Amino acid sequence: MKYRSTRGLPSDEPVSFEDAVLTGLAPDGGLYVPDVDDPTSHTASTLPYLSHAEILSLAPLPFHALAFRLLRPFIATSPTDGGIPDADLQDILARSFATFTHPDVTPVVPVASDDVQGLHILELFHGPTFAFKDVALQVVGNLFDYFLNRRNAAAAAAGRPLTRLTVLGATSGDTGGAAIYGLRGRESVRAFILHPRGRVSPVQELQMTSVLDANIHNVAVAGATFDDCQDIVKALFADPAFRAKHNLAAINSINWARILAQTVYYFKAYLLLHSRHAAGKDEAIKVRFAVPTGNFGDVLAGYYAKRMGLPIESLLVATNENDILHRFFETGSYTKPVAAAAAPAASSSSSDAVKMTLSPAMDILVSSNFERVLWHFLAAGASGSADASSSAQPASAAIKSYMTQLSTTSGFTVPASLHAKARATFASHRASDAATLATIAKYHAATGYVLDPHTAVGVAAAEAVPSAAGTQFTVVLGTASPGKFPEAVWAAVGGEAVVAYEAFAPEGLVRLKGLPTRATVVTVEGVERDERKRSGVDGVKWVIEQTI
């Protein structure tokens, strides 16, 4: 399978899986998607598709073997096509998930609820950094290593210089830690991870900055939001000379390999539930997934899983008070908040528009991965254009127009047909901080289960939005250990005297306290773009140039 940009031109050649992984962001600023036309029918999908019987046949497989079966059709087998032979891919996946502490890797845990039918938490926090990002980033780190080693072996044999990759990423908290743990100590990779100073939890910051490996570089951007950090990353990728000079690669969920790896736990959750409640039966069970959503990558993986044949009843997008996605599903308009829209062009920060909440990994103004699902809807003919259903190009032209409007006028509105298709696929809900705290307190008091604030947003959404008739199970994606957000937990339950940190935090987080840290600070706030030195885009360029 080859990959194309969501903004690509007809003359653009599709790229291999290897190139899509190692670059992450397309040269035109678009995101890579499978180079197939998107049909209107899931059952006629030109993406790899499994029947229900084929899905059930995967139930006995351990997580890494399940991942191999699901990922294999998306990755060519021949190295000359940028692919990975079977044995190598199996090894990559086995090593990636060997770092998880639970035998199911991503277990599904029932939680008693009077308000949600068949409530379960899909615990995605049993990896090295106790967040869902580990599932994908352990894979991505090993893929980087594999492809670079292969390229460098060929270069050494031919007497050419060896390649080193400069991985660049922005984080609202969890991506940074997971990326760092996935890349630390790798000789052919140096990583620069940007985070908004003061807008990640203290534990998240410690997880990143306490990693002192020589190839890991944390950049704290003062006065910034995640969106500012992400804009800096995109600007550096949009600089052809800088990108080529340093072999830039993206680690954020804009990297296709991350989305692909995350589809696996949707299948795993379904198979675990089916084996418990419908063993020996061929019929599908009815499951909806509620997904705490910031950059749209996690719920996008659920969309792809559904397209691949998984019988998902519905996908519920759960946002906090930074609710651009919820507002889109309600109105069809994808617009930045008024504060961001009114900001002058030279403004260096979106901090006035992004609200600081108890769920900081979701404090995002613009959800980058939303571009991918819009492209698929458009390629399926949702725009009403006569030729969109048979060609991807009108979809790419529309996406390019939408993204231009987003950057110049702070938003866009889609046709009614496209909005209707989005609402038929996704439901949505916005949860306030007050609702988040109330949800944590409620479930701790009733069951003893401690929710992290992001997962609590998902549970609050599941309570607020009724499931379809006949739905048997609601699975909320548990995106992080509550131990990463003790302040929110204690605010909800009544303080540390009610529940000690060690009671809900894994040992790996408890041990972080007191460790030495290292980070470089650049600024973004209050500095005009043409005056930046060690600030913004130029400041991060300076850090990378000086370090290398």
Side-chain angles (χ1 to χ4, degrees):
M1 183 178 286
K2 297 285 189 177
Y3 296 88
R4 60 168 289 129
S5 169
T6 51
R7 307 182 197 180
L9 299 172
S11 57
D12 293 344
E13 288 291 326
V15 303
S16 68
F17 179 75
E18 178 178 358
D19 287 335
V21 170
L22 289 181
T23 55
L25 191 68
D28 58 18
L31 308 183
Y32 286 116
V33 291
D35 188 32
V36 293
D37 282 345
D38 206 357
T40 56
S41 168
H42 295 308
T43 58
S45 177
T46 51
L47 286 173
Y49 185 85
L50 296 168
S51 68
H52 190 251
E54 289 172 322
I55 292 171
L56 293 184
S57 73
L58 305 177
L61 298 179
F63 196 92
H64 67 275
L66 174 64
F68 174 78
R69 291 288 297 276
L70 296 173
L71 271 57
R72 176 74 284 174
F74 289 91
I75 305 170
T77 57
S78 171
T80 58
D81 293 328
I84 306 173
D86 282 353
D88 291 350
L89 183 57
Q90 289 169 337
D91 175 66
I92 288 169
L93 295 172
R95 287 188 288 109
S96 297
F97 301 119
T99 60
F100 286 71
T101 58
H102 196 282
D104 289 331
V105 178
T106 57
V108 178
V109 178
V111 177
S113 173
D114 294 331
D115 302 300
V116 183
Q117 175 69 30
L119 177 63
H120 287 71
I121 306 298
L122 174 55
E123 293 188 344
L124 302 174
F125 46 78
H126 294 280
T129 68
F130 314 104
F132 82 95
K133 310 293 179 78
D134 288 323
V135 176
L137 286 169
Q138 287 294 302
V139 176
V140 172
N142 285 321
L143 286 172
F144 280 163
D145 228 21
Y146 176 83
F147 287 134
L148 287 172
N149 287 342
R150 187 166 75 186
R151 289 187 176 191
N152 284 336
R160 300 192 305 270
L162 303 185
T163 297
R164 284 195 81 185
L165 206 62
T166 301
V167 173
L168 189 60
T171 183
S172 53
D174 287 333
T175 288
I180 286 166
Y181 276 74
L183 298 173
R184 63 185 305 181
R186 298 183 187 271
E187 292 183 2
S188 297
V189 176
R190 50 206 164 203
F192 294 83
I193 305 297
L194 283 61
H195 71 268
R197 192 181 190 191
R199 283 181 175 258
V200 300
S201 81
V203 174
Q204 288 175 314
E205 183 175 351
L206 265 176
Q207 278 192 300
M208 293 185 285
T209 59
S210 63
V211 177
L212 305 181
D213 296 60
N215 71 321
I216 299 299
H217 309 283
N218 282 283
V219 181
V221 187
T225 67
F226 167 77
D227 291 89
D228 296 318
C229 295
Q230 187 164 246
D231 286 345
I232 291 170
V233 169
K234 290 181 177 179
L236 293 176
F237 273 92
D239 182 334
F242 188 82
R243 179 174 183 163
K245 178 181 179 181
H246 297 297
N247 294 313
L248 293 189
I251 197 71
N252 283 73
S253 58
I254 55 177
N255 193 303
W256 166 249
R258 278 189 57 177
I259 305 300
L260 185 58
Q262 288 171 195
T263 64
V264 180
Y265 48 70
Y266 284 90
F267 282 87
K268 185 67 174 180
Y270 180 88
L271 290 169
L272 287 171
L273 286 174
H274 194 281
S275 66
R276 292 175 195 170
H277 301 282
K281 299 179 181 179
D282 295 333
E283 62 266 24
I285 56 174
K286 295 188 175 182
V287 184
R288 73 165 174 166
F289 287 87
V291 188
T293 305
N295 218 22
F296 204 75
D298 213 2
V299 74
L300 178 66
Y303 166 79
Y304 280 115
K306 185 172 183 177
R307 288 283 316 283
M308 293 161 66
L310 192 65
I312 296 174
E313 285 289 297
S314 64
L315 291 163
L316 174 55
V317 175
T319 77
N320 64 15
E321 294 173 42
N322 297 291
D323 61 351
I324 187 170
L325 290 166
H326 175 60
R327 288 185 285 109
F328 171 83
F329 290 116
E330 289 287 298
T331 67
S333 292
Y334 190 78
T335 55
K336 298 177 184 178
V338 174
S347 175
S348 57
S349 175
S350 59
S351 59
D352 289 340
V354 179
K355 298 179 181 179
M356 291 184 68
T357 73
L358 297 171
S359 46
M362 298 157 64
D363 290 349
I364 293 174
L365 191 66
V366 175
S367 302
S368 293
N369 275 294
F370 193 54
E371 178 174 336
R372 279 187 167 114
V373 81
L374 286 181
W375 183 90
H376 281 295
F377 288 152
L378 287 161
S383 67
S385 173
D387 61 347
S389 61
S390 60
S391 172
Q393 189 50 43
S396 296
I399 289 296
K400 189 171 183 178
S401 173
Y402 288 151
M403 294 304 112
T404 299
Q405 291 176 60
L406 184 63
S407 63
T408 58
T409 66
S410 295
F412 57 87
T413 300
V414 302
S417 57
L418 177 52
H419 184 226
K421 189 169 182 65
R423 285 177 62 89
T425 306
F426 299 97
S428 70
H429 179 72
R430 171 189 183 273
S432 66
D433 271 355
T436 301
L437 290 174
T439 303
I440 295 172
K442 173 182 175 180
Y443 282 86
H444 178 256
T447 70
Y449 194 93
V450 181
L451 298 165
D452 99 280
H454 306 78
T455 308
V457 168
V459 173
E463 290 188 345
V465 179
S467 57
T471 298
Q472 297 165 274
F473 305 100
T474 292
V475 176
V476 177
L477 272 61
T479 55
S481 165
K484 302 186 80 165
F485 307 97
E487 295 82 8
V489 171
W490 288 328
V493 303
E496 191 172 359
V498 176
V499 56
Y501 186 57
E502 292 77 9
F504 61 89
E507 185 181 351
L509 295 180
V510 175
R511 290 199 305 260
L512 289 173
K513 188 175 181 180
L515 291 179
T517 62
R518 185 184 72 225
T520 301
V521 178
V522 299
T523 62
V524 68
E525 192 173 64
V527 182
E528 297 295 332
R529 293 184 186 279
D530 59 357
E531 294 175 0
R532 289 179 180 175
K533 296 189 185 319
R534 291 189 59 179
S535 60
V537 175
D538 291 338
V540 176
K541 272 189 177 181
W542 183 90
V543 171
I544 293 173
E545 294 278 7
Q546 292 298 310
T547 302
I548 294 176

